[in-house]
Amino acid sequence: MSNITAAMVKDLREQTGAGMMDCKAALTETAGELEAAVDWLRKKGLSKAAKKAGRVAAEGLVALVVDGNKGVAVEVNSETDFVARNPEFQDLVSGIADVALKVGDVEAIKAAPFAGGGTVAEKIANTVAKIGEHMSLRRAKVISVRQGALATYVHNPVVSNKGRIGVVVALESTGKTDKLAELGRQIAMHVASANPLAVDASGVDTATVEREKTILADKYREQGKPEAAIAKIVDSGIKTYFKEVTLLEQPFIFDPSKSVGQAIKESEGSAGGPIKVAGFIRFALGEGIEKQESDFAAEVAAQAGHAAA
């Protein structure tokens, strides 16, 4: 059996909101496997978490660039948040985003020419040498529409179009560009806040849906529900799940009495044409990256000991 540490219990509590003893029991039952412990708590009805939240630990910047009907989001990581405020690092991120808009794939971006000479990879290496911190281009994603508008939103920007959370929303429509841009901006803000998994149910990963079904079925099976009723309960539960995690079914943050899909439909009259959400990008800095927490005092003491030796 794995040694269950206080840090593991703390992580599980932050993800699920469950009590400390319940979290410890879940980790004990699952031999310290965090994701399995999340599922265990949900099956017991002790967690309301709809999905595992990515741990935001890495530093750096998320940057957005839009040119006409094409846009891109990039994430460039650094070791500390101080670097995000360094103008040279910001220029590096801007240059990478400009290249990414034309190239797209991370490896191709690294090999592509950087404005001013050399490749993107060489520019990153040179900036690392100057600033003294490890940096990396983690990811990039391009989005476009044939006709319509792209809208962006950066939450708490460090500088223009760069911050910790960046969203690009693509609206396909023959409607008025200014109206589409206004609506798109609101939807982008909604995406930043509500963090949907997909535009609609068809976009949710099949494995994710199956996992939810299993959790629901096991939860009600443990409650003693008859097998004949479980299928209907699971079907109803999945519909509720989609309302929580798909953009068009989520309550619109600007008017929770209606869904995002309803708000879009109501905007078609003033926009002058049908509106379809072609897709969106949402990058949150460091999501899914686990950064080892260190005991600073212990590190200093250890270094002092080495120096004395």
Side-chain angles (χ1 to χ4, degrees):
M1 184 180 293
S2 300
N3 182 31
I4 308 304
T5 66
M8 293 164 67
V9 174
K10 178 175 177 288
D11 285 347
L12 186 57
R13 287 191 71 188
E14 288 176 352
Q15 285 199 37
T16 65
M20 182 176 69
M21 296 308 295
D22 290 327
C23 288
K24 188 172 181 180
L27 288 164
T28 301
E29 287 291 328
T30 59
E33 290 292 329
L34 187 61
E35 189 165 312
V38 172
D39 289 352
W40 188 89
L41 286 168
R42 293 182 61 201
K43 290 173 185 178
K44 297 292 184 182
L46 299 171
S47 168
K48 295 182 180 179
K51 57 186 181 297
K52 180 181 177 183
R55 290 182 58 189
V56 180
E59 302 300 335
L61 286 171
V62 170
L64 311 176
V65 174
V66 168
D67 183 11
N69 287 354
K70 186 177 183 182
V72 69
V74 301
E75 178 183 352
V76 183
N77 295 133
S78 61
E79 292 180 53
T80 67
D81 58 354
F82 297 108
V83 170
R85 303 185 183 279
N86 183 306
E88 190 158 358
F89 179 74
Q90 292 170 1
D91 289 344
L92 170 68
V93 176
S94 293
I96 291 173
D98 288 339
V99 173
L101 187 64
K102 302 171 185 174
V103 180
D105 176 73
V106 168
E107 293 307 314
I109 294 168
K110 291 178 183 178
F114 191 90
T119 65
V120 169
E122 290 168 344
K123 180 64 177 178
I124 293 173
N126 291 338
T127 307
V128 168
K130 288 181 182 179
I131 295 179
E133 273 199 22
H134 176 66
M135 301 169 194
S136 64
L137 168 60
R138 183 187 178 204
R139 54 181 172 166
K141 187 174 181 180
V142 174
I143 193 169
S144 63
V145 290
R146 291 169 298 170
Q147 188 174 11
L150 295 181
T152 64
Y153 172 71
V154 175
H155 186 64
N156 290 337
V158 176
V159 289
S160 179
N161 292 323
K162 301 177 193 68
R164 298 187 69 85
I165 298 177
V167 177
V168 185
V169 170
L171 297 181
E172 192 85 45
S173 178
T174 57
K176 303 170 187 175
T177 304
D178 59 337
K179 294 295 183 181
L180 295 175
E182 181 182 341
L183 175 64
R185 171 79 173 177
Q186 289 187 333
I187 295 173
M189 294 174 74
H190 173 97
V191 170
S193 173
N195 192 17
L197 293 182
V199 173
D200 55 29
S202 67
V204 180
D205 181 64
T206 303
T208 300
V209 176
E210 290 305 312
R211 179 187 174 194
E212 291 300 315
K213 288 181 177 180
T214 300
I215 290 169
L216 286 169
D218 288 350
K219 175 181 176 180
Y220 289 105
R221 195 168 286 122
E222 289 185 9
Q223 291 179 5
K225 299 288 184 181
E227 288 294 326
I230 288 177
K232 292 182 179 180
I233 295 173
V234 169
D235 184 58
S236 176
I238 287 297
K239 289 178 181 177
T240 300
Y241 173 72
F242 284 143
K243 288 181 180 179
E244 294 172 350
V245 303
T246 60
L247 174 61
L248 296 182
E249 292 199 55
Q250 288 177 331
F252 195 29
I253 62 168
F254 290 95
D255 184 356
S257 68
K258 62 185 70 171
S259 68
V260 174
Q262 289 171 330
I264 292 171
K265 195 68 179 175
E266 291 176 8
S267 298
E268 291 181 343
S270 60
I275 303 170
K276 176 186 177 183
V277 179
F280 65 84
I281 305 169
R282 183 189 186 276
F283 280 1
L285 184 65
E287 62 190 342
I289 298 176
E290 293 193 8
K291 186 176 181 180
Q292 185 175 0
E293 295 183 12
S294 61
D295 185 333
F296 183 68
E299 286 183 8
V300 173
Q303 289 179 10
H306 288 309

